[in-house]
């Protein structure tokens, strides 16, 4: 390992090992990440909302740079609110934002004890559902398409044509699958990372311990490597 990597490793280990649970290790995007939050990145930790929302915000920040698709990310509470209240319950969430001006919309989804990701590609008119346990999310895709129809009607006075859209739950042969009960949040973040760079998803479950440590460094430094 070169000295830089060794320094980074030391920093990650220190984030896990020293100090108090309530120590603040990073602050940005109206989010405060404590040592307790960061500790969810230690295997076999189960990522919490704060880590996922912070990471999605980092992806959005990166998308403002030249050469990246323009990305909008909803927070982890959006889908549960949408599925229980419909469009009217979340229409204020996009106040002052036209989500249709973006290329890609990321929707991290919390299913009680499991994290998944829904991706809207406005360039291709596709809604894809990514689940590292291989469950289908056809109803989730339909719920989000309905949301997009109502959002478009209300905010832009434009009717979306549902028949022009392709909805697809990614199969187990199309995307990598987790091999334990705790990595779903990391998979969700890394699916979003690769998609928000227009890159094919080439990682596997074997990369998860490395991704976890990398994410610690990225969150503390507020920058993606």
């Amino acid at each position: 390992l070169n000295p830089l990597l060794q320094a980074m490793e030391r920093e990650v280990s220190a984030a896990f090992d020293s100090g108090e649970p309530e120590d603040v290790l990073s602050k940005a995007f109206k989010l405060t990440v404590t040592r307790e939050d960061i500790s969810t990145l230690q295997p076999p930790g189960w990522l919490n909302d704060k880590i996922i929302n912070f990471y999605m915000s980092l992806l959005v920040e990166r998308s403002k740079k030249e050469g990246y698709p323009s990305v909008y990310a909803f927070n982890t509470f959006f889908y549960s609110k949408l599925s229980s209240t419909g469009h009217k319950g979340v229409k204020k969430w996009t106040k002052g934002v036209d989500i249709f001006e973006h290329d890609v919309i990321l929707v991290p989804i919390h299913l009680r004890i499991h994290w998944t990701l829904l991706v809207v590609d406005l360039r291709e008119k596709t809604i894809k559902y990514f689940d590292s346990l291989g469950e289908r999310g056809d109803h989730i895709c339909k719920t989000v398409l309905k949301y997009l129809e109502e959002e478009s009607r209300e905010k832009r006075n434009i009717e979306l044509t549902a028949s022009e859209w392709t909805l697809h739950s990614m199969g187990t042969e199309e995307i990598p699958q987790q091999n334990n009960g705790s990595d779903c949040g990391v998979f969700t973040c890394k699916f979003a990372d690769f998609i928000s760079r227009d890159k094919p998803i080439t990682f596997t479950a074997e990369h998860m311990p490395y991704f976890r440590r990398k994410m610690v460094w990225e969150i503390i430094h507020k920058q993606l490597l």
Side-chain angles (χ1 to χ4, degrees), residues 37 39-49 51-52 110-115 178 181-186 212:
D37 297 321
S39 73
T40 67
L41 281 160
Q42 196 162 16
W46 204 81
L47 269 56
N48 69 10
D49 289 286
I51 294 295
I52 292 194
H110 190 194
L111 301 167
R112 288 195 299 285
I113 53 163
H114 184 48
W115 288 110
Q178 66 192 86
S182 56
D183 278 341
C184 53
V186 189
R212 282 173 174 271

Side-chain angles (χ1 to χ4, degrees), residues 199-218:
K199 293 287 183 238
I201 291 166
T202 50
F203 61 84
T204 68
E206 277 60 59
H207 293 96
M208 292 299 130
Y210 162 70
F211 283 156
R212 282 173 174 271
R213 294 184 78 80
K214 185 169 171 239
M215 285 172 71
V216 172
W217 193 93
E218 290 172 328

Side-chain angles (χ1 to χ4, degrees), residues 61-111:
E61 249 345 87
R62 180 179 67 190
S63 84
K64 295 170 185 172
K65 291 184 191 161
E66 190 78 33
Y68 288 95
S70 164
V71 175
Y72 184 82
F74 281 106
N75 79 26
T76 52
F77 306 105
F78 170 77
Y79 181 76
S80 52
K81 183 79 174 161
L82 171 67
S83 58
S84 62
T85 64
H87 182 268
K88 65 180 183 304
V90 292
K91 67 180 184 187
K92 289 200 175 105
W93 291 43
T94 50
K95 198 168 179 233
V97 179
D98 181 356
I99 58 172
F100 298 97
E101 284 177 355
H102 299 80
D103 297 319
V104 174
I105 300 171
L106 302 171
V107 187
I109 293 173
H110 190 194
L111 301 167

Side-chain angles (χ1 to χ4, degrees), residues 24 26-34 37 49-57 75 77 222:
V24 173
S26 196
K27 240 179 145 159
F29 320 115
K30 299 182 183 159
L31 292 166
T32 302
V33 176
T34 65
D37 297 321
D49 289 286
K50 239 191 244 177
I51 294 295
I52 292 194
N53 286 327
F54 201 99
Y55 193 78
M56 294 291 157
S57 300
N75 79 26
F77 306 105
K222 301 179 253 219

